[in-house]
Amino acid sequence: MDNTPLSDALALRAMAFAFDAQRGKLPVPGDPHRSPDVVTVARQISELGKLVTDLGDEVLFRAADQNQAPHTARVITNFAAVVEPAGEAASALGAVAHQLAFLNQTESLRDQPDARDAREAAVRVIEEALATADAALHDRANSLYAASATASPPSARLQAARSRSATTARSPGPPPPNVTAAVAAPSARIARGR
């Protein structure tokens, strides 16, 4: 594995895609195809654990490199910064699994008033925890996509195209009209008309 700006940008983008993929697997209460169940949630917690391990490996690989490139510290920071949100998403899913287990255990008591209140509270906890996991995964995926765009400098062709378009946009032309005079004139006419 090489440690070039392009390979780092691709690694950041791949990790962003992994965060998006995990977000796409989140259960959706009320959706018959993505309804939360303990097994699915536990599987996703395990996958998030692997994602945290992958993040740690990305940081370790770059930190242990004796010949770090100038951009390496920034890439290490970007990978390290998303460990906590990945853990936050896994923790939120842990809360979902806990509440789902409670709902399974109290299924036979659902008609009793006390159990009904507790079960409704469990559903609210599940919804909030899923929203937390969704936000953590979404925000970190976006930050990784942005980091991947800045990790690899633009190609020489792209830089040349940008410089040509910037030069064309700045070509001399007629001076812009005097905006303040144009704005002041109508208001002066309105004032005289009264």
Side-chain angles (χ1 to χ4, degrees):
M1 182 184 245
D2 48 321
N3 192 11
T4 65
L6 180 59
S7 67
D8 286 339
L10 292 173
L12 287 164
R13 182 167 283 285
M15 192 61 68
F17 180 77
F19 270 73
D20 272 340
Q22 286 301 315
R23 184 173 171 243
K25 293 178 184 179
L26 286 174
V28 178
D31 183 338
H33 303 290
R34 291 177 57 189
S35 177
D37 68 83
V38 178
V39 172
T40 302
V41 171
R43 186 175 293 123
Q44 192 164 14
I45 293 169
S46 177
E47 290 174 8
L48 284 168
K50 291 174 187 169
L51 190 62
V52 169
T53 300
D54 291 345
L55 287 165
D57 290 346
E58 293 289 353
V59 171
L60 177 61
F61 164 73
R62 286 163 182 81
D65 187 3
Q66 297 297 319
N67 301 317
Q68 289 187 6
H71 71 282
T72 302
R74 189 173 60 244
V75 174
I76 289 172
T77 300
N78 287 315
F79 278 123
V82 296
V83 171
E84 182 180 353
E88 182 182 354
S91 177
L93 288 177
V96 171
H98 180 235
Q99 297 303 317
L100 288 171
F102 170 77
L103 290 174
N104 287 341
Q105 290 173 345
T106 60
E107 180 67 29
S108 62
L109 305 173
R110 70 177 178 265
D111 295 330
Q112 295 179 6
D114 290 343
R116 186 175 31 237
D117 291 344
R119 289 173 60 79
E120 288 172 2
V123 169
R124 285 192 300 275
V125 169
I126 289 170
E127 290 170 351
E128 290 172 11
L130 288 173
T132 298
D134 182 73
L137 294 171
H138 179 262
D139 293 346
R140 289 315 115 199
N142 286 345
S143 71
L144 286 167
Y145 283 124
S148 74
T150 61
S152 181
S155 68
R157 291 176 73 185
L158 181 59
Q159 287 177 342
R162 283 184 183 162
S163 69
R164 281 193 305 274
S165 66
T167 305
T168 306
R170 293 186 205 147
S171 63
N178 188 345
V179 176
T180 55
V183 171
S187 63
R189 279 183 274 195
I190 294 172
R192 279 187 289 221
R194 290 185 180 175

